Amino acid sequence: MSAAPIIDVRGVRRSFRVRQGLFAAPRHVAAIDGVSFSVGAGEVLGIVGESGCGKSTLARVILGLLPPSAGEVLVDGQRVADMDRRARARLIQPVFQDPFSSLNPRRRVRDVVSMPLDAQGDVPAAEARRRVDEMLARVGLDPSMGERYPAELSGGQRQRVAIARALVLRPRIVVCDEPTSALDVSVQAQILNLLAELRDALGLTYLFISHNLAVVEHVATEVAVMYLGRIVERRETSALFGAPAHPYTKALLASVLTPEPGLGIPDTGLGDAMPDPSNVPPGCSFHPRCPVATARCRVDIPATARVAGGQSDCHLL
Amino acid sequence: MSRLLEVEALEVSFGAASAVRGASLALDRGETLCLVGESGCGKSVTALAVMGLLARNASRGAARLSFDGQDLRGLDERGMSRLRGNRMAMIFQEPMTSLNPAYTVGSQMAEVMLRHRGGTRAAAMARAEDLLGRVRITSPAMRLGQYPHQLSGGLRQRVMIAMALMCDPELLIADEPTTALDVTVQAQILRLLLDLQKDLGLAMLLITHDLGVVARVAHRVAVMYAGEVVETAAAADLFARPTHPYTRGLLACVPVPGKVARGAALGSIAGVVPRLGPGFSGCGFRDRCGEATAACGGTIARASAGEGHDYLCRLPPGWRAGAGAAP
Ligand SMILES: Nc1ncnc2c1ncn2[C@@H]1O[C@H](COP(=O)(O)OP(=O)(O)OP(=O)(O)O)[C@@H](O)[C@H]1O
Ligand SMILES: Nc1ncnc2c1ncn2[C@@H]1O[C@H](COP(=O)(O)OP(=O)(O)O)[C@@H](O)[C@H]1O
Ligand code: SF4
Ligand code: SF4
Ligand SMILES: [Mg+2]
Ligand SMILES: [Mg+2]
């Protein structure tokens, strides 16, 4: 079952220059440090990892919103960097975390959803209107909502608006960066159900970034685990959650608190050292926190090993 | 165990909107009570009302509000501030709301101690260093001299916990203390809180909307909806026999690996938490409840689903969806 890749990420790096104080010399933060993977059409690739590991940077590079420092991204066989903005918008669209700040407060919902159509410049007004109405209905919003302003909507309704805007051009790929993190569980469930419905109905491919592992396990067909700008494990969802290979993945999964009373709080075994992307340790960058690190891990970068349903980078594999 | 905090029929309103409508809670020494519910249900306002930290435009009333037998209702600001940070302490979701960016970690921590307990600055600094070590911050002596913005989110949250413990409080109120953190750091901080609680015999009121956190740390749970406590029970009992339709609804929303098939539709609760006025009567959940009938507009009595397990709904304990509903 190997569908043609619709997203192909090849050796992408992206670094930022940051100054930590007025007189400090600028340092380089390697937000993405050599990432390659591909995603088949119709898949949902979940991306997980701790804050600052580079998930959003990767999303922005794939969306063409941020040029990579090295490497390239192909979407549907075309280099994102060479694509015209309008063509890109017809192919790939984002849905971001914060429905409160990602919608322009001064425009009516109808105009917000219509924006990508208007930016195309060649969609007749009547046609645009029809497609906006259709999209509002599809995401479960009453047409009268179109006349309201974002501030008059609840968080869940705003996220529906953001989804309608992302889908109005009928893209093939949607990049969701923490789409439900700002929402209550009750509303999160509605949005996750909606995203699943839309994927089936419209044949979408999702990149789904979330720090909520239970949500990723529920929605993703494949999962990539990131640590300090690299993908350390990439597996089919059931393989990853059933038998995590990488010590970091194991620690992440161990920290998940499922709603089962009596199990207490697990010991992650990770210690207190926190990852710092401006100061990446040599060898395996996870070694200062790895409970099973050996001398070799401090020196050699681990190669990629095949494991059931995917691959992982660790000397022990 | 002895009763430390008792709240009965707490009412808080902001002008014409009621944020808390007759909520009751009780907390014993050494016990963890989790307050859970969607945002806007009144969890934070309840905590602030106990701490005497409500905004100026709020009005508060209660049939009982006592801490270790002392009535807090008549206490003036001076009396409250003698308790706050001392015998009762609070941790907020966003640590920067309680950390002052202009002072070092050490001087802020020492200040709490000096204000309530006096003593020398050196002794207060020594205690601060000791507590930073206890919350497992590495190189505590060095951290004392750092400013809050030089710390990561997880470290700041630990500093807040250490600061809250400076005066050995008997009651700790933590409002979403781990919501903004990574799961790994969340697990570390919750372990820490539970260890400290065991060692120090702390009573903890933990506010969260994360049912995973509730299941793992609570002894007792109070589910809040639209300003009321709609169900309260021992944690194991609540998860085994959720009875209020709102509690059941919340539990159905969370994907539980092994229990909910991957990709299957999740349960959800349509609509949003209403803002109710003071004159509101009947069940506050009725416009979102799948079991609502005309009877739900009348007075709803608190019912019992077993020892220490009660709920605010007209349905009998053990009710089944659809059974007995109008055709
Ligand atoms: N514009 C920028 N300038 C400087 N540094 C940046 C910039 N954008 C991102 N970074 C840094 O790159 C690293 C990765 O950031 P990114 O936002 O991709 O993380 P993330 O995995 O999305 O984290 P979170 O879970 O907190 O959203 C971080 O160290 C971040 O501080
Ligand atoms: N200072 C305030 N002024 C007016 N309304 C407030 C104020 N603080 C809270 N509220 C309202 O009280 C209700 C309960 O809020 P809160 O206790 O913060 O909810 P949560 O359960 O999310 O902690 C909400 O409707 C909120 O908007
Ligand atoms: S390579 Fe070594 S340090 Fe890295 S994850 Fe594997 S065992 Fe741990
Ligand atoms: S009282 Fe009626 S509306 Fe309220 S929760 Fe019970 S059944 Fe639902
Ligand atoms: Mg991000
Ligand atoms: Mg709150």
Side-chain angles (χ1 to χ4, degrees), chain A residues 50-51 184 186 189-190 193 217-218 257-258 261 264-267 271-272, chain B residues 38-39 136 182 184 187-188 191 212 215-216 257 261-264 266-267 269:
Chain A
E50 289 161 305
S51 180
D184 272 312
S186 50
Q190 295 168 16
N193 289 345
E217 177 168 12
H218 189 71
L257 305 179
T258 51
I265 305 291
D267 181 359
D272 295 330
Chain B
E38 289 164 287
S39 63
R136 305 218 186 91
D182 280 313
T184 47
Q188 288 174 325
R191 267 177 82 86
R216 304 304 190 90
R262 180 164 310 139
L266 298 167
I269 309 172

PDB file of all heavy atoms in Angstrom, chain A residues 50-51 184 186 189-190 193 217-218 257-258 261 264-267 271-272, chain B residues 38-39 136 182 184 187-188 191 212 215-216 257 261-264 266-267 269:
ATOM      1  N   GLU A  50       8.455  17.715  21.975  1.00  0.00           N
ATOM      2  CA  GLU A  50       8.301  18.771  22.966  1.00  0.00           C
ATOM      3  C   GLU A  50       8.378  20.152  22.340  1.00  0.00           C
ATOM      4  O   GLU A  50       8.901  20.325  21.236  1.00  0.00           O
ATOM      5  CB  GLU A  50       9.383  18.631  24.037  1.00  0.00           C
ATOM      6  CG  GLU A  50       9.158  17.434  24.938  1.00  0.00           C
ATOM      7  CD  GLU A  50      10.414  17.032  25.671  1.00  0.00           C
ATOM      8  OE1 GLU A  50      11.432  16.787  25.009  1.00  0.00           O
ATOM      9  OE2 GLU A  50      10.383  16.972  26.894  1.00  0.00           O
ATOM     10  N   SER A  51       7.923  21.123  23.085  1.00  0.00           N
ATOM     11  CA  SER A  51       7.946  22.513  22.657  1.00  0.00           C
ATOM     12  C   SER A  51       9.345  22.910  22.206  1.00  0.00           C
ATOM     13  O   SER A  51      10.330  22.606  22.878  1.00  0.00           O
ATOM     14  CB  SER A  51       7.513  23.368  23.852  1.00  0.00           C
ATOM     15  OG  SER A  51       7.517  24.706  23.486  1.00  0.00           O
ATOM     16  N   ASP A 184     -11.540  23.432  24.535  1.00  0.00           N
ATOM     17  CA  ASP A 184     -11.978  22.473  25.538  1.00  0.00           C
ATOM     18  C   ASP A 184     -12.132  21.097  24.920  1.00  0.00           C
ATOM     19  O   ASP A 184     -12.412  20.988  23.722  1.00  0.00           O
ATOM     20  CB  ASP A 184     -13.359  22.889  26.073  1.00  0.00           C
ATOM     21  CG  ASP A 184     -13.226  23.845  27.225  1.00  0.00           C
ATOM     22  OD1 ASP A 184     -12.445  23.559  28.133  1.00  0.00           O
ATOM     23  OD2 ASP A 184     -13.903  24.881  27.216  1.00  0.00           O
ATOM     24  N   SER A 186     -14.523  19.094  24.904  1.00  0.00           N
ATOM     25  CA  SER A 186     -15.814  18.906  24.245  1.00  0.00           C
ATOM     26  C   SER A 186     -15.773  19.468  22.826  1.00  0.00           C
ATOM     27  O   SER A 186     -16.282  18.862  21.881  1.00  0.00           O
ATOM     28  CB  SER A 186     -16.899  19.623  25.046  1.00  0.00           C
ATOM     29  OG  SER A 186     -16.494  20.952  25.303  1.00  0.00           O
ATOM     30  N   ALA A 189     -13.293  17.504  20.467  1.00  0.00           N
ATOM     31  CA  ALA A 189     -13.891  16.311  19.888  1.00  0.00           C
ATOM     32  C   ALA A 189     -14.696  16.675  18.641  1.00  0.00           C
ATOM     33  O   ALA A 189     -14.620  15.995  17.617  1.00  0.00           O
ATOM     34  CB  ALA A 189     -14.772  15.608  20.919  1.00  0.00           C
ATOM     35  N   GLN A 190     -15.453  17.782  18.698  1.00  0.00           N
ATOM     36  CA  GLN A 190     -16.234  18.201  17.518  1.00  0.00           C
ATOM     37  C   GLN A 190     -15.321  18.493  16.335  1.00  0.00           C
ATOM     38  O   GLN A 190     -15.603  18.104  15.201  1.00  0.00           O
ATOM     39  CB  GLN A 190     -17.028  19.476  17.809  1.00  0.00           C
ATOM     40  CG  GLN A 190     -18.107  19.328  18.865  1.00  0.00           C
ATOM     41  CD  GLN A 190     -18.647  20.684  19.313  1.00  0.00           C
ATOM     42  OE1 GLN A 190     -18.434  21.693  18.656  1.00  0.00           O
ATOM     43  NE2 GLN A 190     -19.332  20.705  20.436  1.00  0.00           N
ATOM     44  N   ASN A 193     -13.740  15.304  14.902  1.00  0.00           N
ATOM     45  CA  ASN A 193     -14.726  14.574  14.107  1.00  0.00           C
ATOM     46  C   ASN A 193     -14.917  15.238  12.740  1.00  0.00           C
ATOM     47  O   ASN A 193     -14.992  14.569  11.711  1.00  0.00           O
ATOM     48  CB  ASN A 193     -16.068  14.511  14.841  1.00  0.00           C
ATOM     49  CG  ASN A 193     -16.025  13.592  16.063  1.00  0.00           C
ATOM     50  OD1 ASN A 193     -15.104  12.798  16.216  1.00  0.00           O
ATOM     51  ND2 ASN A 193     -17.017  13.707  16.928  1.00  0.00           N
ATOM     52  N   GLU A 217      -2.647   9.650  18.278  1.00  0.00           N
ATOM     53  CA  GLU A 217      -2.899   8.216  18.108  1.00  0.00           C
ATOM     54  C   GLU A 217      -4.271   7.990  17.483  1.00  0.00           C
ATOM     55  O   GLU A 217      -4.463   7.086  16.678  1.00  0.00           O
ATOM     56  CB  GLU A 217      -2.806   7.483  19.457  1.00  0.00           C
ATOM     57  CG  GLU A 217      -3.128   6.003  19.313  1.00  0.00           C
ATOM     58  CD  GLU A 217      -2.792   5.166  20.533  1.00  0.00           C
ATOM     59  OE1 GLU A 217      -2.518   5.742  21.592  1.00  0.00           O
ATOM     60  OE2 GLU A 217      -2.823   3.930  20.391  1.00  0.00           O
ATOM     61  N   HIS A 218      -5.215   8.846  17.848  1.00  0.00           N
ATOM     62  CA  HIS A 218      -6.572   8.679  17.352  1.00  0.00           C
ATOM     63  C   HIS A 218      -6.716   9.059  15.879  1.00  0.00           C
ATOM     64  O   HIS A 218      -7.396   8.388  15.124  1.00  0.00           O
ATOM     65  CB  HIS A 218      -7.543   9.501  18.198  1.00  0.00           C
ATOM     66  CG  HIS A 218      -8.981   9.226  17.895  1.00  0.00           C
ATOM     67  ND1 HIS A 218      -9.591   8.056  18.241  1.00  0.00           N
ATOM     68  CD2 HIS A 218      -9.906   9.957  17.241  1.00  0.00           C
ATOM     69  CE1 HIS A 218     -10.831   8.068  17.820  1.00  0.00           C
ATOM     70  NE2 HIS A 218     -11.055   9.217  17.215  1.00  0.00           N
ATOM     71  N   LEU A 257      -0.962  10.918  30.256  1.00  0.00           N
ATOM     72  CA  LEU A 257      -1.872  10.570  31.343  1.00  0.00           C
ATOM     73  C   LEU A 257      -3.234  10.235  30.758  1.00  0.00           C
ATOM     74  O   LEU A 257      -4.001  11.117  30.406  1.00  0.00           O
ATOM     75  CB  LEU A 257      -1.984  11.742  32.321  1.00  0.00           C
ATOM     76  CG  LEU A 257      -0.647  12.234  32.892  1.00  0.00           C
ATOM     77  CD1 LEU A 257      -0.884  13.417  33.831  1.00  0.00           C
ATOM     78  CD2 LEU A 257       0.082  11.121  33.622  1.00  0.00           C
ATOM     79  N   THR A 258      -3.504   8.953  30.645  1.00  0.00           N
ATOM     80  CA  THR A 258      -4.823   8.547  30.176  1.00  0.00           C
ATOM     81  C   THR A 258      -5.804   8.666  31.337  1.00  0.00           C
ATOM     82  O   THR A 258      -5.398   8.570  32.494  1.00  0.00           O
ATOM     83  CB  THR A 258      -4.797   7.089  29.693  1.00  0.00           C
ATOM     84  OG1 THR A 258      -4.214   6.303  30.729  1.00  0.00           O
ATOM     85  CG2 THR A 258      -3.990   6.948  28.421  1.00  0.00           C
ATOM     86  N   PRO A 261      -8.079   6.026  36.481  1.00  0.00           N
ATOM     87  CA  PRO A 261      -7.680   6.305  37.858  1.00  0.00           C
ATOM     88  C   PRO A 261      -6.836   5.174  38.444  1.00  0.00           C
ATOM     89  O   PRO A 261      -6.901   4.039  37.992  1.00  0.00           O
ATOM     90  CB  PRO A 261      -9.011   6.428  38.605  1.00  0.00           C
ATOM     91  CG  PRO A 261     -10.064   5.947  37.693  1.00  0.00           C
ATOM     92  CD  PRO A 261      -9.517   5.842  36.318  1.00  0.00           C
ATOM     93  N   GLY A 264      -1.560   6.486  38.931  1.00  0.00           N
ATOM     94  CA  GLY A 264      -0.543   7.418  39.430  1.00  0.00           C
ATOM     95  C   GLY A 264       0.164   8.154  38.301  1.00  0.00           C
ATOM     96  O   GLY A 264      -0.219   8.073  37.138  1.00  0.00           O
ATOM     97  N   ILE A 265       1.220   8.870  38.681  1.00  0.00           N
ATOM     98  CA  ILE A 265       1.966   9.641  37.696  1.00  0.00           C
ATOM     99  C   ILE A 265       3.252   8.894  37.373  1.00  0.00           C
ATOM    100  O   ILE A 265       4.045   8.594  38.258  1.00  0.00           O
ATOM    101  CB  ILE A 265       2.321  11.043  38.247  1.00  0.00           C
ATOM    102  CG1 ILE A 265       1.076  11.790  38.708  1.00  0.00           C
ATOM    103  CG2 ILE A 265       3.069  11.843  37.200  1.00  0.00           C
ATOM    104  CD1 ILE A 265       0.151  12.216  37.604  1.00  0.00           C
ATOM    105  N   PRO A 266       3.475   8.590  36.095  1.00  0.00           N
ATOM    106  CA  PRO A 266       4.649   7.809  35.723  1.00  0.00           C
ATOM    107  C   PRO A 266       5.944   8.601  35.882  1.00  0.00           C
ATOM    108  O   PRO A 266       5.939   9.826  35.837  1.00  0.00           O
ATOM    109  CB  PRO A 266       4.399   7.509  34.242  1.00  0.00           C
ATOM    110  CG  PRO A 266       3.527   8.637  33.784  1.00  0.00           C
ATOM    111  CD  PRO A 266       2.657   8.976  34.946  1.00  0.00           C
ATOM    112  N   ASP A 267       7.034   7.875  36.074  1.00  0.00           N
ATOM    113  CA  ASP A 267       8.356   8.486  36.079  1.00  0.00           C
ATOM    114  C   ASP A 267       8.875   8.409  34.650  1.00  0.00           C
ATOM    115  O   ASP A 267       9.031   7.336  34.092  1.00  0.00           O
ATOM    116  CB  ASP A 267       9.271   7.691  37.013  1.00  0.00           C
ATOM    117  CG  ASP A 267      10.661   8.295  37.070  1.00  0.00           C
ATOM    118  OD1 ASP A 267      10.897   9.301  36.369  1.00  0.00           O
ATOM    119  OD2 ASP A 267      11.499   7.757  37.803  1.00  0.00           O
ATOM    120  N   GLY A 271      15.081  12.862  33.539  1.00  0.00           N
ATOM    121  CA  GLY A 271      15.955  13.792  34.245  1.00  0.00           C
ATOM    122  C   GLY A 271      15.562  15.226  33.975  1.00  0.00           C
ATOM    123  O   GLY A 271      14.534  15.505  33.369  1.00  0.00           O
ATOM    124  N   ASP A 272      16.389  16.151  34.436  1.00  0.00           N
ATOM    125  CA  ASP A 272      15.999  17.556  34.405  1.00  0.00           C
ATOM    126  C   ASP A 272      16.608  18.363  33.271  1.00  0.00           C
ATOM    127  O   ASP A 272      16.227  19.505  33.050  1.00  0.00           O
ATOM    128  CB  ASP A 272      16.358  18.218  35.735  1.00  0.00           C
ATOM    129  CG  ASP A 272      15.547  17.613  36.865  1.00  0.00           C
ATOM    130  OD1 ASP A 272      14.412  17.180  36.598  1.00  0.00           O
ATOM    131  OD2 ASP A 272      16.061  17.560  37.993  1.00  0.00           O
TER     132      ASP A 272
ATOM    133  N   GLU B  38     -15.413  22.596  31.641  1.00  0.00           N
ATOM    134  CA  GLU B  38     -14.969  23.379  30.488  1.00  0.00           C
ATOM    135  C   GLU B  38     -14.587  24.791  30.904  1.00  0.00           C
ATOM    136  O   GLU B  38     -14.953  25.232  31.999  1.00  0.00           O
ATOM    137  CB  GLU B  38     -16.100  23.469  29.454  1.00  0.00           C
ATOM    138  CG  GLU B  38     -16.391  22.185  28.733  1.00  0.00           C
ATOM    139  CD  GLU B  38     -17.748  22.256  28.052  1.00  0.00           C
ATOM    140  OE1 GLU B  38     -18.771  22.194  28.755  1.00  0.00           O
ATOM    141  OE2 GLU B  38     -17.784  22.390  26.837  1.00  0.00           O
ATOM    142  N   SER B  39     -13.922  25.524  30.014  1.00  0.00           N
ATOM    143  CA  SER B  39     -13.543  26.875  30.398  1.00  0.00           C
ATOM    144  C   SER B  39     -14.798  27.735  30.539  1.00  0.00           C
ATOM    145  O   SER B  39     -15.775  27.541  29.820  1.00  0.00           O
ATOM    146  CB  SER B  39     -12.542  27.480  29.416  1.00  0.00           C
ATOM    147  OG  SER B  39     -13.112  27.588  28.165  1.00  0.00           O
ATOM    148  N   ARG B 136      13.479  19.968  42.430  1.00  0.00           N
ATOM    149  CA  ARG B 136      14.435  19.385  41.470  1.00  0.00           C
ATOM    150  C   ARG B 136      14.866  20.348  40.397  1.00  0.00           C
ATOM    151  O   ARG B 136      14.912  20.016  39.218  1.00  0.00           O
ATOM    152  CB  ARG B 136      13.870  18.124  40.830  1.00  0.00           C
ATOM    153  CG  ARG B 136      13.489  17.190  41.889  1.00  0.00           C
ATOM    154  CD  ARG B 136      13.734  15.761  41.685  1.00  0.00           C
ATOM    155  NE  ARG B 136      13.093  15.176  42.861  1.00  0.00           N
ATOM    156  CZ  ARG B 136      11.835  14.783  42.875  1.00  0.00           C
ATOM    157  NH1 ARG B 136      11.109  14.800  41.795  1.00  0.00           N
ATOM    158  NH2 ARG B 136      11.318  14.330  43.981  1.00  0.00           N
ATOM    159  N   ASP B 182       4.765  20.819  28.333  1.00  0.00           N
ATOM    160  CA  ASP B 182       4.881  19.548  27.623  1.00  0.00           C
ATOM    161  C   ASP B 182       4.472  18.394  28.529  1.00  0.00           C
ATOM    162  O   ASP B 182       4.646  18.470  29.736  1.00  0.00           O
ATOM    163  CB  ASP B 182       6.343  19.328  27.212  1.00  0.00           C
ATOM    164  CG  ASP B 182       6.695  20.119  25.973  1.00  0.00           C
ATOM    165  OD1 ASP B 182       5.914  20.075  25.013  1.00  0.00           O
ATOM    166  OD2 ASP B 182       7.738  20.779  25.979  1.00  0.00           O
ATOM    167  N   THR B 184       5.933  15.688  29.113  1.00  0.00           N
ATOM    168  CA  THR B 184       7.060  15.191  29.899  1.00  0.00           C
ATOM    169  C   THR B 184       7.249  16.043  31.153  1.00  0.00           C
ATOM    170  O   THR B 184       7.405  15.524  32.254  1.00  0.00           O
ATOM    171  CB  THR B 184       8.342  15.253  29.055  1.00  0.00           C
ATOM    172  OG1 THR B 184       8.392  16.536  28.428  1.00  0.00           O
ATOM    173  CG2 THR B 184       8.360  14.181  27.998  1.00  0.00           C
ATOM    174  N   ALA B 187       4.357  15.613  33.647  1.00  0.00           N
ATOM    175  CA  ALA B 187       4.482  14.426  34.491  1.00  0.00           C
ATOM    176  C   ALA B 187       5.466  14.697  35.623  1.00  0.00           C
ATOM    177  O   ALA B 187       5.220  14.337  36.781  1.00  0.00           O
ATOM    178  CB  ALA B 187       4.935  13.228  33.657  1.00  0.00           C
ATOM    179  N   GLN B 188       6.577  15.364  35.323  1.00  0.00           N
ATOM    180  CA  GLN B 188       7.566  15.658  36.365  1.00  0.00           C
ATOM    181  C   GLN B 188       6.977  16.561  37.446  1.00  0.00           C
ATOM    182  O   GLN B 188       7.170  16.328  38.638  1.00  0.00           O
ATOM    183  CB  GLN B 188       8.804  16.322  35.754  1.00  0.00           C
ATOM    184  CG  GLN B 188       9.646  15.350  34.936  1.00  0.00           C
ATOM    185  CD  GLN B 188      10.795  16.039  34.204  1.00  0.00           C
ATOM    186  OE1 GLN B 188      10.665  17.173  33.757  1.00  0.00           O
ATOM    187  NE2 GLN B 188      11.917  15.357  34.089  1.00  0.00           N
ATOM    188  N   ARG B 191       4.300  14.742  39.597  1.00  0.00           N
ATOM    189  CA  ARG B 191       4.951  13.818  40.540  1.00  0.00           C
ATOM    190  C   ARG B 191       5.478  14.576  41.738  1.00  0.00           C
ATOM    191  O   ARG B 191       5.339  14.162  42.880  1.00  0.00           O
ATOM    192  CB  ARG B 191       6.126  13.116  39.859  1.00  0.00           C
ATOM    193  CG  ARG B 191       5.763  11.797  39.231  1.00  0.00           C
ATOM    194  CD  ARG B 191       6.965  11.236  38.525  1.00  0.00           C
ATOM    195  NE  ARG B 191       7.874  10.550  39.432  1.00  0.00           N
ATOM    196  CZ  ARG B 191       7.746   9.275  39.769  1.00  0.00           C
ATOM    197  NH1 ARG B 191       6.759   8.559  39.279  1.00  0.00           N
ATOM    198  NH2 ARG B 191       8.598   8.718  40.586  1.00  0.00           N
ATOM    199  N   GLY B 212      -7.229  13.333  32.160  1.00  0.00           N
ATOM    200  CA  GLY B 212      -6.103  12.442  32.441  1.00  0.00           C
ATOM    201  C   GLY B 212      -5.435  12.837  33.748  1.00  0.00           C
ATOM    202  O   GLY B 212      -5.138  11.989  34.594  1.00  0.00           O
ATOM    203  N   ALA B 215      -7.730  11.888  36.715  1.00  0.00           N
ATOM    204  CA  ALA B 215      -7.756  10.462  37.034  1.00  0.00           C
ATOM    205  C   ALA B 215      -6.511  10.055  37.815  1.00  0.00           C
ATOM    206  O   ALA B 215      -6.573   9.206  38.699  1.00  0.00           O
ATOM    207  CB  ALA B 215      -7.845   9.641  35.746  1.00  0.00           C
ATOM    208  N   ARG B 216      -5.378  10.698  37.486  1.00  0.00           N
ATOM    209  CA  ARG B 216      -4.126  10.248  38.079  1.00  0.00           C
ATOM    210  C   ARG B 216      -3.792  10.883  39.415  1.00  0.00           C
ATOM    211  O   ARG B 216      -2.968  10.349  40.141  1.00  0.00           O
ATOM    212  CB  ARG B 216      -2.972  10.508  37.104  1.00  0.00           C
ATOM    213  CG  ARG B 216      -3.142   9.894  35.727  1.00  0.00           C
ATOM    214  CD  ARG B 216      -3.375   8.392  35.820  1.00  0.00           C
ATOM    215  NE  ARG B 216      -3.311   7.762  34.508  1.00  0.00           N
ATOM    216  CZ  ARG B 216      -2.189   7.282  33.970  1.00  0.00           C
ATOM    217  NH1 ARG B 216      -1.057   7.374  34.595  1.00  0.00           N
ATOM    218  NH2 ARG B 216      -2.212   6.709  32.788  1.00  0.00           N
ATOM    219  N   PRO B 257      -6.965   5.353  24.170  1.00  0.00           N
ATOM    220  CA  PRO B 257      -6.429   4.244  23.376  1.00  0.00           C
ATOM    221  C   PRO B 257      -6.911   2.915  23.940  1.00  0.00           C
ATOM    222  O   PRO B 257      -6.908   2.713  25.142  1.00  0.00           O
ATOM    223  CB  PRO B 257      -4.911   4.388  23.550  1.00  0.00           C
ATOM    224  CG  PRO B 257      -4.696   5.821  23.911  1.00  0.00           C
ATOM    225  CD  PRO B 257      -5.913   6.264  24.661  1.00  0.00           C
ATOM    226  N   ALA B 261     -12.018   3.183  19.267  1.00  0.00           N
ATOM    227  CA  ALA B 261     -11.341   2.710  18.066  1.00  0.00           C
ATOM    228  C   ALA B 261     -10.688   3.877  17.349  1.00  0.00           C
ATOM    229  O   ALA B 261     -11.253   4.971  17.289  1.00  0.00           O
ATOM    230  CB  ALA B 261     -12.332   2.010  17.145  1.00  0.00           C
ATOM    231  N   ARG B 262      -9.478   3.660  16.825  1.00  0.00           N
ATOM    232  CA  ARG B 262      -8.780   4.721  16.126  1.00  0.00           C
ATOM    233  C   ARG B 262      -9.634   5.241  14.978  1.00  0.00           C
ATOM    234  O   ARG B 262     -10.206   4.468  14.217  1.00  0.00           O
ATOM    235  CB  ARG B 262      -7.450   4.192  15.584  1.00  0.00           C
ATOM    236  CG  ARG B 262      -6.665   5.238  14.837  1.00  0.00           C
ATOM    237  CD  ARG B 262      -5.229   4.810  14.650  1.00  0.00           C
ATOM    238  NE  ARG B 262      -4.668   4.370  15.921  1.00  0.00           N
ATOM    239  CZ  ARG B 262      -3.892   3.317  16.053  1.00  0.00           C
ATOM    240  NH1 ARG B 262      -3.590   2.596  15.014  1.00  0.00           N
ATOM    241  NH2 ARG B 262      -3.433   2.977  17.228  1.00  0.00           N
ATOM    242  N   GLY B 263      -9.740   6.555  14.902  1.00  0.00           N
ATOM    243  CA  GLY B 263     -10.469   7.164  13.805  1.00  0.00           C
ATOM    244  C   GLY B 263     -11.981   7.185  13.982  1.00  0.00           C
ATOM    245  O   GLY B 263     -12.674   7.864  13.243  1.00  0.00           O
ATOM    246  N   ALA B 264     -12.501   6.454  14.969  1.00  0.00           N
ATOM    247  CA  ALA B 264     -13.951   6.463  15.185  1.00  0.00           C
ATOM    248  C   ALA B 264     -14.378   7.843  15.683  1.00  0.00           C
ATOM    249  O   ALA B 264     -13.594   8.560  16.288  1.00  0.00           O
ATOM    250  CB  ALA B 264     -14.337   5.401  16.209  1.00  0.00           C
ATOM    251  N   LEU B 266     -15.646  10.683  17.948  1.00  0.00           N
ATOM    252  CA  LEU B 266     -15.624  10.858  19.398  1.00  0.00           C
ATOM    253  C   LEU B 266     -16.965  11.405  19.840  1.00  0.00           C
ATOM    254  O   LEU B 266     -17.660  12.049  19.062  1.00  0.00           O
ATOM    255  CB  LEU B 266     -14.528  11.858  19.777  1.00  0.00           C
ATOM    256  CG  LEU B 266     -13.104  11.455  19.431  1.00  0.00           C
ATOM    257  CD1 LEU B 266     -12.165  12.637  19.548  1.00  0.00           C
ATOM    258  CD2 LEU B 266     -12.656  10.328  20.348  1.00  0.00           C
ATOM    259  N   GLY B 267     -17.301  11.174  21.100  1.00  0.00           N
ATOM    260  CA  GLY B 267     -18.483  11.820  21.647  1.00  0.00           C
ATOM    261  C   GLY B 267     -18.222  13.304  21.722  1.00  0.00           C
ATOM    262  O   GLY B 267     -17.074  13.731  21.745  1.00  0.00           O
ATOM    263  N   ILE B 269     -20.042  17.346  23.082  1.00  0.00           N
ATOM    264  CA  ILE B 269     -21.176  18.038  23.695  1.00  0.00           C
ATOM    265  C   ILE B 269     -21.460  19.243  22.816  1.00  0.00           C
ATOM    266  O   ILE B 269     -20.612  20.123  22.695  1.00  0.00           O
ATOM    267  CB  ILE B 269     -20.836  18.503  25.123  1.00  0.00           C
ATOM    268  CG1 ILE B 269     -20.259  17.341  25.935  1.00  0.00           C
ATOM    269  CG2 ILE B 269     -22.070  19.076  25.809  1.00  0.00           C
ATOM    270  CD1 ILE B 269     -19.723  17.773  27.297  1.00  0.00           C
TER     271      ILE B 269
END
